[in-house]
mmCIF file of all heavy atoms in Angstrom:
data_model
loop_
_atom_site.group_PDB
_atom_site.id
_atom_site.type_symbol
_atom_site.label_atom_id
_atom_site.label_comp_id
_atom_site.label_asym_id
_atom_site.label_seq_id
_atom_site.Cartn_x
_atom_site.Cartn_y
_atom_site.Cartn_z
ATOM 1 N N TRP A 38 21.691 159.207 89.977
ATOM 2 C CA TRP A 38 22.171 157.882 90.072
ATOM 3 C C TRP A 38 22.314 157.172 88.722
ATOM 4 O O TRP A 38 23.056 156.217 88.583
ATOM 5 C CB TRP A 38 21.332 157.068 91.043
ATOM 6 C CG TRP A 38 21.874 155.749 91.432
ATOM 7 C CD1 TRP A 38 21.377 154.530 91.140
ATOM 8 C CD2 TRP A 38 23.070 155.473 92.175
ATOM 9 N NE1 TRP A 38 22.111 153.497 91.668
ATOM 10 C CE2 TRP A 38 23.225 154.084 92.277
ATOM 11 C CE3 TRP A 38 24.083 156.286 92.752
ATOM 12 C CZ2 TRP A 38 24.285 153.506 92.963
ATOM 13 C CZ3 TRP A 38 25.114 155.702 93.398
ATOM 14 C CH2 TRP A 38 25.210 154.299 93.527
ATOM 15 N N TRP A 39 21.630 157.678 87.719
ATOM 16 C CA TRP A 39 21.593 157.097 86.396
ATOM 17 C C TRP A 39 22.348 157.921 85.355
ATOM 18 O O TRP A 39 22.324 157.563 84.161
ATOM 19 C CB TRP A 39 20.180 156.838 85.956
ATOM 20 C CG TRP A 39 19.486 155.943 86.910
ATOM 21 C CD1 TRP A 39 18.554 156.312 87.862
ATOM 22 C CD2 TRP A 39 19.625 154.546 87.086
ATOM 23 N NE1 TRP A 39 18.149 155.230 88.587
ATOM 24 C CE2 TRP A 39 18.834 154.112 88.126
ATOM 25 C CE3 TRP A 39 20.421 153.581 86.388
ATOM 26 C CZ2 TRP A 39 18.727 152.801 88.541
ATOM 27 C CZ3 TRP A 39 20.336 152.276 86.832
ATOM 28 C CH2 TRP A 39 19.527 151.905 87.867
ATOM 29 N N ASP A 40 22.978 158.989 85.730
ATOM 30 C CA ASP A 40 23.628 159.888 84.813
ATOM 31 C C ASP A 40 25.169 159.920 85.163
ATOM 32 O O ASP A 40 25.570 160.500 86.128
ATOM 33 C CB ASP A 40 23.062 161.277 84.903
ATOM 34 C CG ASP A 40 23.621 162.256 83.870
ATOM 35 O OD1 ASP A 40 24.637 161.921 83.255
ATOM 36 O OD2 ASP A 40 23.016 163.331 83.705
ATOM 37 N N ALA A 41 25.940 159.289 84.323
ATOM 38 C CA ALA A 41 27.404 159.191 84.598
ATOM 39 C C ALA A 41 28.060 160.555 84.634
ATOM 40 O O ALA A 41 28.925 160.816 85.467
ATOM 41 C CB ALA A 41 28.079 158.340 83.537
ATOM 42 N N ASP A 42 27.619 161.479 83.737
ATOM 43 C CA ASP A 42 28.222 162.820 83.767
ATOM 44 C C ASP A 42 27.905 163.549 85.054
ATOM 45 O O ASP A 42 28.779 164.208 85.641
ATOM 46 C CB ASP A 42 27.690 163.640 82.626
ATOM 47 C CG ASP A 42 28.198 163.147 81.270
ATOM 48 O OD1 ASP A 42 29.268 162.588 81.228
ATOM 49 O OD2 ASP A 42 27.486 163.333 80.259
ATOM 50 N N ARG A 43 26.725 163.443 85.558
ATOM 51 C CA ARG A 43 26.347 164.113 86.783
ATOM 52 C C ARG A 43 27.053 163.492 87.956
ATOM 53 O O ARG A 43 27.522 164.180 88.879
ATOM 54 C CB ARG A 43 24.829 164.008 86.956
ATOM 55 C CG ARG A 43 24.250 164.748 88.121
ATOM 56 C CD ARG A 43 24.159 166.246 87.935
ATOM 57 N NE ARG A 43 23.322 166.657 86.834
ATOM 58 C CZ ARG A 43 22.023 166.923 86.887
ATOM 59 N NH1 ARG A 43 21.376 166.737 88.008
ATOM 60 N NH2 ARG A 43 21.387 167.362 85.860
ATOM 61 N N LEU A 44 27.243 162.169 87.953
ATOM 62 C CA LEU A 44 27.981 161.484 89.022
ATOM 63 C C LEU A 44 29.444 161.942 89.003
ATOM 64 O O LEU A 44 30.017 162.166 90.064
ATOM 65 C CB LEU A 44 27.886 159.978 88.864
ATOM 66 C CG LEU A 44 26.560 159.332 89.180
ATOM 67 C CD1 LEU A 44 26.584 157.874 88.759
ATOM 68 C CD2 LEU A 44 26.217 159.452 90.609
ATOM 69 N N GLU A 45 30.011 162.120 87.865
ATOM 70 C CA GLU A 45 31.388 162.575 87.755
ATOM 71 C C GLU A 45 31.512 164.007 88.247
ATOM 72 O O GLU A 45 32.448 164.322 88.943
ATOM 73 C CB GLU A 45 31.896 162.502 86.287
ATOM 74 C CG GLU A 45 33.329 162.846 86.140
ATOM 75 C CD GLU A 45 33.822 162.701 84.718
ATOM 76 O OE1 GLU A 45 33.392 161.742 84.041
ATOM 77 O OE2 GLU A 45 34.658 163.459 84.335
ATOM 78 N N ASP A 46 30.539 164.828 87.908
ATOM 79 C CA ASP A 46 30.562 166.239 88.406
ATOM 80 C C ASP A 46 30.473 166.255 89.935
ATOM 81 O O ASP A 46 31.226 167.012 90.609
ATOM 82 C CB ASP A 46 29.413 167.052 87.812
ATOM 83 C CG ASP A 46 29.639 167.305 86.341
ATOM 84 O OD1 ASP A 46 30.767 167.227 85.858
ATOM 85 O OD2 ASP A 46 28.594 167.615 85.662
ATOM 86 N N LEU A 47 29.589 165.495 90.490
ATOM 87 C CA LEU A 47 29.450 165.414 91.924
ATOM 88 C C LEU A 47 30.739 164.906 92.562
ATOM 89 O O LEU A 47 31.212 165.362 93.602
ATOM 90 C CB LEU A 47 28.249 164.526 92.348
ATOM 91 C CG LEU A 47 27.832 164.510 93.785
ATOM 92 C CD1 LEU A 47 27.560 165.868 94.317
ATOM 93 C CD2 LEU A 47 26.611 163.623 93.937
ATOM 94 N N GLY A 48 31.314 163.836 91.918
ATOM 95 C CA GLY A 48 32.608 163.311 92.415
ATOM 96 C C GLY A 48 33.714 164.389 92.362
ATOM 97 O O GLY A 48 34.528 164.422 93.272
ATOM 98 N N ASP A 49 33.707 165.242 91.323
ATOM 99 C CA ASP A 49 34.669 166.290 91.247
ATOM 100 C C ASP A 49 34.583 167.286 92.401
ATOM 101 O O ASP A 49 35.575 167.729 92.958
ATOM 102 C CB ASP A 49 34.516 167.059 89.934
ATOM 103 C CG ASP A 49 35.024 166.289 88.728
ATOM 104 O OD1 ASP A 49 35.690 165.239 88.915
ATOM 105 O OD2 ASP A 49 34.706 166.687 87.591
ATOM 106 N N TYR A 50 33.355 167.609 92.822
ATOM 107 C CA TYR A 50 33.150 168.459 93.964
ATOM 108 C C TYR A 50 33.698 167.854 95.239
ATOM 109 O O TYR A 50 34.330 168.500 96.065
ATOM 110 C CB TYR A 50 31.653 168.828 94.157
ATOM 111 C CG TYR A 50 31.180 169.852 93.114
ATOM 112 C CD1 TYR A 50 30.282 169.467 92.155
ATOM 113 C CD2 TYR A 50 31.662 171.156 93.076
ATOM 114 C CE1 TYR A 50 29.808 170.416 91.205
ATOM 115 C CE2 TYR A 50 31.248 172.067 92.162
ATOM 116 C CZ TYR A 50 30.337 171.658 91.236
ATOM 117 O OH TYR A 50 29.866 172.547 90.261
ATOM 118 N N LEU A 51 33.429 166.554 95.426
ATOM 119 C CA LEU A 51 33.951 165.867 96.630
ATOM 120 C C LEU A 51 35.455 165.749 96.509
ATOM 121 O O LEU A 51 36.099 165.813 97.589
ATOM 122 C CB LEU A 51 33.293 164.507 96.762
ATOM 123 C CG LEU A 51 31.813 164.500 97.057
ATOM 124 C CD1 LEU A 51 31.257 163.082 97.104
ATOM 125 C CD2 LEU A 51 31.474 165.261 98.276
ATOM 126 N N PHE A 52 36.017 165.603 95.364
ATOM 127 C CA PHE A 52 37.443 165.523 95.125
ATOM 128 C C PHE A 52 38.115 166.789 95.619
ATOM 129 O O PHE A 52 39.065 166.754 96.317
ATOM 130 C CB PHE A 52 37.717 165.227 93.637
ATOM 131 C CG PHE A 52 39.143 165.083 93.264
ATOM 132 C CD1 PHE A 52 40.105 164.583 94.096
ATOM 133 C CD2 PHE A 52 39.502 165.437 91.980
ATOM 134 C CE1 PHE A 52 41.409 164.462 93.717
ATOM 135 C CE2 PHE A 52 40.831 165.277 91.548
ATOM 136 C CZ PHE A 52 41.769 164.802 92.441
ATOM 137 N N ILE A 53 37.548 167.953 95.201
ATOM 138 C CA ILE A 53 38.180 169.211 95.590
ATOM 139 C C ILE A 53 37.975 169.437 97.098
ATOM 140 O O ILE A 53 38.853 169.988 97.753
ATOM 141 C CB ILE A 53 37.723 170.397 94.737
ATOM 142 C CG1 ILE A 53 38.767 171.531 94.873
ATOM 143 C CG2 ILE A 53 36.333 170.876 95.115
ATOM 144 C CD1 ILE A 53 38.655 172.587 93.790
ATOM 145 N N LEU A 54 36.845 169.089 97.610
ATOM 146 C CA LEU A 54 36.638 169.263 99.099
ATOM 147 C C LEU A 54 37.618 168.389 99.898
ATOM 148 O O LEU A 54 38.236 168.844 100.858
ATOM 149 C CB LEU A 54 35.193 168.916 99.466
ATOM 150 C CG LEU A 54 34.115 169.920 99.065
ATOM 151 C CD1 LEU A 54 32.759 169.411 99.393
ATOM 152 C CD2 LEU A 54 34.384 171.244 99.792
ATOM 153 N N GLY A 55 37.756 167.144 99.482
ATOM 154 C CA GLY A 55 38.673 166.242 100.200
ATOM 155 C C GLY A 55 40.113 166.714 100.067
ATOM 156 O O GLY A 55 40.860 166.668 100.983
ATOM 157 N N SER A 56 40.455 167.183 98.850
ATOM 158 C CA SER A 56 41.849 167.653 98.637
ATOM 159 C C SER A 56 42.143 168.897 99.443
ATOM 160 O O SER A 56 43.158 168.990 100.061
ATOM 161 C CB SER A 56 42.054 167.993 97.140
ATOM 162 O OG SER A 56 41.913 166.850 96.356
ATOM 163 N N PHE A 57 41.168 169.828 99.480
ATOM 164 C CA PHE A 57 41.345 171.048 100.263
ATOM 165 C C PHE A 57 41.432 170.713 101.741
ATOM 166 O O PHE A 57 42.327 171.259 102.444
ATOM 167 C CB PHE A 57 40.193 172.013 99.990
ATOM 168 C CG PHE A 57 40.316 173.310 100.731
ATOM 169 C CD1 PHE A 57 41.252 174.230 100.317
ATOM 170 C CD2 PHE A 57 39.581 173.568 101.839
ATOM 171 C CE1 PHE A 57 41.353 175.449 101.003
ATOM 172 C CE2 PHE A 57 39.742 174.740 102.542
ATOM 173 C CZ PHE A 57 40.627 175.686 102.132
ATOM 174 N N LEU A 58 40.613 169.834 102.226
ATOM 175 C CA LEU A 58 40.632 169.476 103.612
ATOM 176 C C LEU A 58 41.972 168.813 103.971
ATOM 177 O O LEU A 58 42.610 169.086 105.006
ATOM 178 C CB LEU A 58 39.497 168.553 103.963
ATOM 179 C CG LEU A 58 39.369 168.118 105.461
ATOM 180 C CD1 LEU A 58 39.297 169.292 106.371
ATOM 181 C CD2 LEU A 58 38.178 167.227 105.616
ATOM 182 N N ASP A 59 42.497 167.931 103.071
ATOM 183 C CA ASP A 59 43.784 167.332 103.353
ATOM 184 C C ASP A 59 44.960 168.309 103.359
ATOM 185 O O ASP A 59 45.858 168.190 104.203
ATOM 186 C CB ASP A 59 44.059 166.219 102.246
ATOM 187 C CG ASP A 59 43.287 164.947 102.507
ATOM 188 O OD1 ASP A 59 42.675 164.841 103.588
ATOM 189 O OD2 ASP A 59 43.334 164.078 101.621
ATOM 190 N N VAL A 60 44.884 169.309 102.477
ATOM 191 C CA VAL A 60 45.935 170.325 102.500
ATOM 192 C C VAL A 60 45.827 171.147 103.786
ATOM 193 O O VAL A 60 46.896 171.414 104.451
ATOM 194 C CB VAL A 60 45.775 171.283 101.275
ATOM 195 C CG1 VAL A 60 46.621 172.534 101.435
ATOM 196 C CG2 VAL A 60 46.158 170.540 99.988
ATOM 197 N N VAL A 61 44.666 171.504 104.221
ATOM 198 C CA VAL A 61 44.494 172.199 105.492
ATOM 199 C C VAL A 61 44.990 171.384 106.648
ATOM 200 O O VAL A 61 45.713 171.851 107.541
ATOM 201 C CB VAL A 61 43.063 172.636 105.705
ATOM 202 C CG1 VAL A 61 42.797 173.161 107.102
ATOM 203 C CG2 VAL A 61 42.637 173.728 104.689
ATOM 204 N N LEU A 62 44.622 170.098 106.627
ATOM 205 C CA LEU A 62 45.038 169.220 107.749
ATOM 206 C C LEU A 62 46.591 169.066 107.722
ATOM 207 O O LEU A 62 47.217 169.020 108.787
ATOM 208 C CB LEU A 62 44.395 167.845 107.637
ATOM 209 C CG LEU A 62 42.933 167.765 107.913
ATOM 210 C CD1 LEU A 62 42.356 166.423 107.603
ATOM 211 C CD2 LEU A 62 42.624 168.161 109.387
ATOM 212 N N ASN A 63 47.160 168.967 106.553
ATOM 213 C CA ASN A 63 48.575 168.770 106.417
ATOM 214 C C ASN A 63 49.353 170.044 106.825
ATOM 215 O O ASN A 63 50.338 169.989 107.551
ATOM 216 C CB ASN A 63 48.926 168.357 104.975
ATOM 217 C CG ASN A 63 50.373 168.039 104.839
ATOM 218 O OD1 ASN A 63 50.899 167.098 105.462
ATOM 219 N ND2 ASN A 63 51.070 168.808 103.980
ATOM 220 N N ASP A 64 48.927 171.195 106.326
ATOM 221 C CA ASP A 64 49.679 172.411 106.482
ATOM 222 C C ASP A 64 49.441 173.090 107.860
ATOM 223 O O ASP A 64 50.304 173.768 108.389
ATOM 224 C CB ASP A 64 49.389 173.410 105.383
ATOM 225 C CG ASP A 64 49.876 172.952 104.018
ATOM 226 O OD1 ASP A 64 50.640 171.962 104.011
ATOM 227 O OD2 ASP A 64 49.506 173.555 103.001
ATOM 228 N N MET A 65 48.259 172.960 108.352
ATOM 229 C CA MET A 65 47.893 173.699 109.606
ATOM 230 C C MET A 65 47.827 172.803 110.838
ATOM 231 O O MET A 65 47.563 173.285 111.929
ATOM 232 C CB MET A 65 46.556 174.338 109.403
ATOM 233 C CG MET A 65 46.469 175.141 108.163
ATOM 234 S SD MET A 65 46.353 176.860 108.513
ATOM 235 C CE MET A 65 46.211 177.533 106.864
ATOM 236 N N SER A 66 47.941 171.506 110.659
ATOM 237 C CA SER A 66 47.898 170.536 111.765
ATOM 238 C C SER A 66 46.638 170.668 112.582
ATOM 239 O O SER A 66 46.609 170.563 113.772
ATOM 240 C CB SER A 66 49.108 170.789 112.751
ATOM 241 O OG SER A 66 50.334 170.591 112.039
ATOM 242 N N PHE A 67 45.518 170.862 111.884
ATOM 243 C CA PHE A 67 44.214 170.901 112.537
ATOM 244 C C PHE A 67 43.804 169.586 113.157
ATOM 245 O O PHE A 67 42.979 169.523 114.076
ATOM 246 C CB PHE A 67 43.105 171.308 111.583
ATOM 247 C CG PHE A 67 43.005 172.776 111.400
ATOM 248 C CD1 PHE A 67 42.476 173.308 110.237
ATOM 249 C CD2 PHE A 67 43.395 173.676 112.376
ATOM 250 C CE1 PHE A 67 42.342 174.678 110.042
ATOM 251 C CE2 PHE A 67 43.306 175.062 112.211
ATOM 252 C CZ PHE A 67 42.756 175.562 111.043
ATOM 253 N N ASP A 68 44.342 168.467 112.629
ATOM 254 C CA ASP A 68 43.898 167.169 113.130
ATOM 255 C C ASP A 68 44.567 166.784 114.454
ATOM 256 O O ASP A 68 44.251 165.709 114.998
ATOM 257 C CB ASP A 68 44.150 166.092 112.089
ATOM 258 C CG ASP A 68 45.607 165.980 111.678
ATOM 259 O OD1 ASP A 68 46.382 166.888 111.969
ATOM 260 O OD2 ASP A 68 45.946 164.927 111.154
#
Side-chain angles (χ1 to χ4, degrees):
W38 191 243
W39 301 103
D40 185 347
D42 290 331
R43 185 75 62 89
L44 289 170
E45 184 176 324
D46 290 340
L47 187 56
D49 288 347
Y50 286 113
L51 295 178
F52 182 30
I53 199 162
L54 285 174
S56 298
F57 181 75
L58 183 57
D59 283 352
V60 166
V61 169
L62 291 173
N63 185 62
D64 292 349
M65 311 247 182
S66 300
F67 276 156
D68 60 342

